[in-house]
Amino acid sequence: MYRVKEMREELGWTQEKLSEASGVSRTIISALETSDTTRTSTGTLIKLAAAMNCTVADIFVA
């Protein structure tokens, strides 16, 4: 559902690095990457997108 892992790995970042850059907990990042959760807040997606220099739409699997 989300491309967080793919995008993070393209940047060469660990989950910890993305967490530090975005202000989103590593636990939430992990859950989004493993599809343990399919729901998250718009604010979380905005933070992740800003940290990875992309749009929120880019985070979603097409």
Side-chain angles (χ1 to χ4, degrees):
M1 177 162 196
Y2 299 108
R3 296 182 55 232
V4 175
K5 182 175 183 177
E6 177 186 338
M7 296 175 73
R8 174 181 61 76
E9 289 178 343
E10 286 174 6
L11 292 169
W13 288 3
T14 63
Q15 288 180 349
E16 188 63 34
K17 169 73 175 172
L18 179 55
S19 174
E20 291 171 4
S22 66
V24 174
S25 77
R26 196 201 56 76
T27 303
I28 292 174
I29 292 168
S30 177
L32 291 171
E33 288 186 357
T34 60
S35 297
D36 284 346
T37 186
T38 56
R39 299 175 115 185
T40 193
S41 72
T42 302
T44 294
L45 294 173
I46 290 170
K47 289 178 184 179
L48 291 171
M52 295 189 289
N53 197 31
C54 66
T55 67
V56 170
D58 292 334
I59 295 174
F60 289 94
V61 174

